[in-house]
Amino acid sequence: MIGKIALYCCLLLPAALMAQPVKTPGKVTAVNIKGQEVNITTQNSFAVITAYSPSVIRVRMDKQPLAKDFSYAVISQPQAFTPRVTQNGEEVRIETDSLVARIGKDPFSITFYTKSGEVISADEPGLGTSWIGEEVTTYKTMQEGERFVGLGEKTGNLDRKGSSYTNWNTDAYGYTVTQDPIYSTIPFYIGIHHGLSYGIFFDNTFRSDFNFGASNNRFSSFTANGGEMNYYFIYHPQVAGIVSAYTQLTGRMKMPPLWSLGYQQNRYSYYPEAEVMRIAQTLREKQVPADGITLDIHYMDAYKLFTWNKQRFPDPAGMNAQLQKLGFRTTVIVDPGIKVEKGYHAYESGLKDNIFIKYSDGQNYTGQVWPGWCHFPDFTSVKGRAWWKQQVKSYTSAGVSGLWNDMNEIATWGQRMPDNVLFDFEGNPVTHQQAHNVYGLAMVRASYEGAKEALPNERPFILTRAGYAGLQRYSAIWTGDNRAEDDHMLLGVRLMNSLGLSGVAFTGMDIGGFTGNGGPALYARWIQIGAFTPYCRSHTGINTKSAEPWAYGEEVLEISRNYINLRYKLLPYIYSCFYNATQTGLPLMRTLALTDTHDPKVYDTRFQNEYQFGPAFLIAPFESKQAYAPVYFPKGDWYSLYDDTKETGGQEKMLTLGMHTLPVYVKESSIIPMQSLVQTTKEKPSDTLFLHIYKGNIANDFMYYEDDGETFDYEKEGYFRRNISYRPQEGVLLLEKASGKLASKFKNIQLILHGFAGQENISVEGKQVNAEKGKTSFTQPISRFDPTGETNPVISCGVLKVVVPNSYNAIKVNFGQ
């Protein structure tokens, strides 16, 4: 009877007095201000709020005193500056030159403001940050009309409002266009509302979830299954500034080897050696420019890493030397699994050096992948990476130039590595739960450092399928095992655009689709788009039709050649854009949300696939068999690439589509350096740089950049760099004085002026010059494949041409009015 009365009394108690499964920080009980850092104790938690830079505030919280600070992603230290930090009985206030953070004391909460008092982002009242067991979540008030972009390699729409996503690197073979998660984790997103934008980087490597208003109309949130609440809040008036600040935290890419920007040919798999050489020779015979051939797992002996199948490839070094003579570099696939096999050198040395990940009882973990049962190197340990670096030398000594890191999610058959597998984590052992998402990042770090050690002054090319925030420091990434379908082609565009917003500038997708068999129209459209992507690689899977440019017939071959030719002519522009990425973190593939952030048309699903390729080009991708489609022109004037037809921005237009051309436009005032056609980057172009200038009404600058394309000498001023500025109001084009210790490869510059008809009165350094009227074509006419055998008409742009000598000195061009 007494027990029943007690139960009845408990039922009458207020809910607040019952055991609470959700733990909140509660009230602030102590504040200690130390320069840029504010240490806070609450009733149920500990927090450190750091003014990391004038535009970045870091928030760390946990239920217990904060552990030693460590990150695989963040490589920059807090900037030394003096924020204004004050407090009163209600709040702590941190003010920088860019933003204000107000930390409420009862209860603990954080709101970020502009200097003028506008709310940028705020903890949702009543929710804020809380814990359910070891799971930690921060809830942010969802602002009216707020949009969300970024989060790395995530499927779905450009605007992620109304969706939720999980970060858990996953081997997602033939994934659907809405599948989540897939291969990589970059827990960084950008919020946009009321003319404002901000970024949040949640640096927690546990499985995490982001909710952007899925199944609720109250908040956006980010959650991790364990570890700290640890995020960086970034504010800048422009999204480009947010991306630059994020990459200041997590690092920026190095200059890639020039050959890696050329066309790459791959399939699963090219073998034996005779087939590899046939592909290389056919590319040359059919005059399809190319710089790389990639070997998939069939080059190995029984899929065992660091081996060659001697029947298929009896002399790898000899083959690679022959390929290099033809202007090709070889990339080989590397997977982390080391087969458990006595006598296999990698297995035996791995055991000897004790570098494999282990169960909690000390036994090496064994999982099944391509070779069979395998152990896996612990790339989160110094000795594991050191072992891998030694193994990589077997590839570089055989003349291999690129390492394609695959299956590094970690992928195993069954896709369920046990959580009680332990990783070193730089001397702080953790379980698989915390290490899983950084395994791919740690592997590409080891691959990059190993290749660089083996060939100290040769830039490595590293490609990966999986990774974590900061992967751009070591590797390019491609979007994995896609499908030969139109919706996958367009999804790939969005994936790369989102990766670009998330700090990764060097991205690609399998042109033509990896799984399934696409038709001629799909391949033609895909390779047109692929020519305007950072990493340009055709690829297809085993038991599929061949997917080389000539495999779909002569018409598709001509289309492919047109666009690959165009890419090679654009290499000075593309290479300069890569240099810009190393300096600012800004990508080559730029969703219009980066440049026209607050234009609602940008997020319209009809236009969300449009992107800029560098600052000059607007690319409008469409499905391969669409006959008509709408395009949206952002603000400004836009020239058709092919004939200079001008379009006014801020409006839609219905296009008639065809298989032969991809809709491509050039922004007014653009500056585009180009070169003569070469078949490989090993071949020198002619001695004239073609500098295309498009008349416009807006001032523009372009940083032109050259180096040797191979070594790290550019870090010692071994480059030729000059800013080119166009000032239409003054009628001036200024090629500023060059810097660097390298002479330009171009002796002359031909100015090719678009839209300047009637302004032939041009002077260079005060001297009148004759502007030659002429035409320029960016593509060649496609043959008419009918009994008449005629070709389509030439499409060209009417231009003015002026040739000037190139030099280190400034060159000033005045246009007649």
Side-chain angles (χ1 to χ4, degrees):
M1 182 66 182
I2 294 175
K4 289 182 179 180
I5 294 172
L7 176 62
Y8 179 74
C9 291
C10 286
L11 292 173
L12 293 179
L13 287 173
L17 299 180
M18 300 286 285
Q20 174 58 271
V22 178
K23 179 175 284 189
T24 61
K27 297 179 182 179
V28 172
T29 58
V31 176
N32 184 9
I33 299 171
K34 296 181 180 178
Q36 296 170 230
E37 191 173 277
V38 181
N39 289 269
I40 294 175
T41 304
T42 75
Q43 292 171 311
N44 298 314
S45 69
F46 301 83
V48 176
I49 317 297
T50 305
Y52 217 81
S53 76
S55 60
V56 179
I57 303 290
R58 184 186 184 189
V59 178
R60 291 181 70 194
M61 292 184 68
D62 210 341
K63 293 182 294 181
Q64 55 270 344
L66 295 167
K68 179 183 176 182
D69 192 16
F70 173 74
S71 174
Y72 275 106
V74 175
I75 60 171
S76 70
Q77 297 298 312
Q79 292 182 24
F81 75 109
T82 306
R84 292 166 290 283
V85 184
T86 58
Q87 68 168 319
N88 56 33
E90 296 180 352
E91 67 178 21
V92 180
R93 180 185 175 97
I94 302 173
E95 184 175 353
T96 76
D97 293 339
S98 299
L99 77 160
V100 176
R102 293 168 59 178
I103 306 162
K105 291 185 174 181
D106 186 12
F108 175 90
S109 64
I110 306 176
T111 303
F112 299 96
Y113 295 86
T114 65
K115 293 296 294 290
S116 58
E118 299 166 290
V119 174
I120 309 168
S121 177
D123 284 358
E124 172 63 8
L127 299 181
T129 297
S130 62
W131 290 264
I132 301 175
E134 295 306 308
E135 179 185 278
V136 60
T137 303
T138 290
Y139 300 88
K140 297 292 186 182
T141 298
M142 196 155 52
Q143 305 293 329
E144 181 184 0
E146 189 163 11
R147 303 182 189 276
F148 303 91
V149 298
L151 210 65
E153 190 186 45
K154 292 297 180 186
T155 60
N157 291 323
L158 167 63
D159 183 1
R160 308 205 179 279
K161 175 75 170 289
S163 299
S164 64
Y165 299 89
T166 297
N167 286 314
W168 187 252
N169 293 355
T170 300
D171 177 4
Y173 174 79
Y175 54 95
T176 68
V177 294
T178 58
Q179 187 171 331
D180 182 70
I182 52 175
Y183 303 98
S184 65
T185 289
I186 304 180
F188 169 66
Y189 73 90
I190 296 169
I192 300 160
H193 65 89
H194 298 97
L196 302 172
S197 52
Y198 66 90
I200 288 180
F201 171 44
F202 181 30
D203 190 11
N204 182 310
T205 65
F206 283 85
R207 183 191 295 262
S208 58
D209 292 278
F210 286 71
N211 186 317
F212 299 114
S215 302
N216 88 90
N217 62 355
R218 182 178 176 185
F219 58 78
S220 62
S221 65
F222 40 99
T223 301
N225 284 9
E228 297 178 359
M229 175 48 61
N230 175 27
Y231 71 92
Y232 295 79
F233 182 87
I234 304 170
Y235 172 69
H236 192 278
Q238 306 296 327
V239 168
I242 294 170
V243 174
S244 288
Y246 167 74
T247 55
Q248 185 68 37
L249 287 173
T250 60
R252 294 171 183 154
M253 66 177 293
K254 297 282 190 182
M255 282 302 295
L258 178 59
W259 68 264
S260 69
L261 307 186
Y263 176 64
Q264 314 290 313
Q265 187 63 58
N266 187 29
R267 82 161 293 145
Y268 171 34
S269 290
Y270 287 133
Y271 67 89
E273 177 183 315
E275 174 68 0
V276 175
M277 298 308 299
R278 183 186 72 82
I279 293 295
Q281 289 161 355
T282 306
L283 285 161
R284 293 291 176 254
E285 289 165 4
K286 294 187 179 295
Q287 294 186 302
V288 177
D291 269 83
I293 291 183
T294 306
L295 302 183
D296 215 309
I297 59 175
H298 290 100
Y299 78 86
M300 303 180 204
D301 176 17
Y303 308 131
K304 291 182 292 187
L305 200 59
F306 310 118
T307 68
W308 292 83
N309 183 303
K310 291 303 183 181
Q311 284 71 47
R312 295 170 179 168
F313 297 95
D315 181 14
M319 178 190 70
N320 290 327
Q322 288 185 62
L323 287 170
Q324 288 210 27
K325 286 180 182 178
L326 289 170
F328 289 96
R329 298 296 190 109
T330 306
T331 298
V332 298
I333 199 167
V334 290
D335 297 345
I338 303 298
K339 186 176 183 180
V340 176
E341 178 180 284
K342 288 185 178 181
Y344 167 36
H345 64 87
Y347 171 69
E348 297 289 1
S349 66
L351 285 180
K352 178 176 176 291
D353 292 349
N354 191 28
I355 54 87
F356 296 122
I357 57 176
K358 295 173 171 56
Y359 285 107
S360 55
D361 65 358
Q363 181 174 321
N364 288 329
Y365 167 71
T366 309
Q368 198 171 17
V369 281
W370 297 113
W373 291 102
C374 294
H375 294 334
F376 297 84
D378 187 351
F379 295 111
T380 72
S381 72
V382 172
K383 67 179 182 179
R385 292 194 297 273
W387 176 86
W388 183 263
K389 292 175 195 178
Q390 290 301 312
Q391 309 307 310
V392 162
K393 291 179 180 178
S394 69
Y395 289 122
T396 56
S397 64
V400 169
S401 299
L403 297 177
W404 169 20
N405 296 247
D406 194 28
M407 304 290 284
N408 53 349
E409 289 76 25
I410 306 172
T412 56
W413 305 158
Q415 306 299 337
R416 190 63 178 88
M417 181 177 286
D419 287 339
N420 64 344
V421 175
L422 303 183
F423 295 74
D424 180 74
F425 224 69
E426 314 307 321
N428 301 285
V430 301
T431 70
H432 175 239
Q433 291 177 314
Q434 192 169 355
H436 177 91
N437 281 337
V438 296
Y439 189 80
L441 170 64
M443 181 181 178
V444 295
R445 174 185 175 183
S447 293
Y448 179 88
E449 292 174 350
K452 191 175 178 183
E453 283 185 14
L455 300 169
N457 202 28
E458 183 174 319
R459 301 177 205 171
F461 171 66
I462 309 297
L463 180 67
T464 190
R465 192 169 74 175
Y468 184 71
L471 72 90
Q472 66 271 9
R473 302 194 299 266
Y474 310 111
S475 181
I477 190 170
W478 101 104
T479 60
D481 298 339
N482 60 2
R483 301 184 185 190
E485 300 166 4
D486 278 293
D487 56 357
H488 256 268
M489 176 177 67
L490 299 180
L491 170 65
V493 168
R494 294 197 299 280
L495 290 173
M496 288 186 282
N497 285 341
S498 183
L499 283 162
L501 282 175
S502 308
V504 187
F506 201 177
T507 58
M509 60 177 166
D510 285 344
I511 293 170
F514 181 70
T515 72
N517 293 297
L522 177 63
Y523 187 86
R525 178 69 78 225
W526 212 320
I527 206 158
Q528 290 167 346
I529 296 168
F532 294 96
T533 60
Y535 180 60
C536 180
R537 178 182 87 165
S538 285
H539 188 29
T540 190
I542 199 166
N543 294 324
T544 60
K545 295 187 296 187
S546 294
E548 296 80 35
W550 55 85
Y552 294 91
E554 290 298 317
E555 186 174 19
V556 173
L557 174 59
E558 289 190 20
I559 293 167
S560 301
R561 187 187 293 123
N562 252 344
Y563 282 85
I564 297 172
N565 282 352
L566 178 57
R567 180 182 180 88
Y568 273 74
K569 292 176 185 176
L570 282 168
L571 280 175
Y573 171 82
I574 293 171
Y575 200 65
S576 297
C577 288
F578 266 99
Y579 172 74
N580 182 62
T582 70
Q583 301 302 298
T584 67
L586 295 181
L588 279 74
M589 283 188 70
R590 303 176 177 186
T591 168
L592 299 186
L594 183 70
T595 51
D596 297 87
T597 307
H598 305 292
D599 184 343
K601 286 290 181 100
V602 164
Y603 307 93
D604 188 317
T605 54
R606 295 176 299 161
F607 310 122
Q608 65 176 350
N609 300 316
E610 294 180 23
Y611 66 97
Q612 285 188 236
F613 188 60
F617 293 101
L618 173 66
I619 314 299
F622 297 105
E623 291 186 0
S624 59
K625 294 183 179 179
Q626 278 184 267
Y628 304 94
V631 66
Y632 176 68
F633 296 100
K635 64 179 180 295
D637 289 335
W638 298 87
Y639 292 79
S640 166
L641 173 68
Y642 309 104
D643 62 8
D644 277 354
T645 301
K646 193 184 291 187
E647 305 289 350
T648 302
Q651 63 177 353
E652 302 175 24
K653 182 178 181 179
M654 185 63 67
L655 301 181
T656 300
L657 303 176
M659 181 173 163
H660 293 173
T661 57
L662 174 73
V664 179
Y665 298 88
V666 181
K667 190 174 185 179
E668 64 171 312
S669 303
S670 286
I671 302 165
I672 304 173
M674 297 180 68
Q675 67 181 24
S676 63
L677 178 62
V678 294
Q679 293 298 303
T680 164
T681 59
K682 187 177 180 180
E683 179 185 341
K684 288 186 178 181
S686 72
D687 65 0
T688 300
L689 179 71
F690 304 101
L691 194 61
H692 293 259
I693 310 296
Y694 287 78
K695 187 178 181 181
N697 297 309
I698 56 176
N700 188 30
D701 288 81
F702 184 84
M703 183 61 74
Y704 173 76
Y705 179 84
E706 287 180 47
D707 60 31
D708 63 22
E710 295 180 0
T711 73
F712 287 93
D713 290 354
Y714 72 91
E715 295 180 341
K716 305 169 188 174
E717 296 188 78
Y719 56 76
F720 179 92
R721 182 183 67 196
R722 73 172 356 136
N723 187 59
I724 305 173
S725 60
Y726 173 54
R727 299 292 181 265
Q729 279 69 35
E730 302 165 29
V732 170
L733 176 73
L734 179 62
L735 286 73
E736 297 176 12
K737 184 177 179 180
S739 61
K741 298 177 180 178
L742 186 73
S744 173
K745 70 181 80 169
F746 301 105
K747 293 181 180 179
N748 299 299
I749 299 173
Q750 184 178 81
L751 304 177
I752 302 179
L753 309 176
H754 298 255
F756 287 83
Q759 292 184 232
E760 290 83 0
N761 183 25
I762 295 172
S763 65
V764 178
E765 291 301 305
K767 296 180 180 180
Q768 292 294 121
V769 296
N770 292 321
E772 175 191 348
K773 292 182 180 180
K775 293 183 180 296
T776 191
S777 297
F778 290 104
T779 57
Q780 295 300 308
I782 303 298
S783 301
R784 287 181 177 169
F785 292 94
D786 57 36
T788 66
E790 296 176 357
T791 59
N792 290 292
V794 175
I795 302 175
S796 61
C797 309
V799 296
L800 298 177
K801 298 180 179 180
V802 176
V803 177
V804 298
N806 194 9
S807 72
Y808 276 96
N809 298 324
I811 304 170
K812 186 176 182 180
V813 180
N814 289 86
F815 303 113
Q817 299 298 318

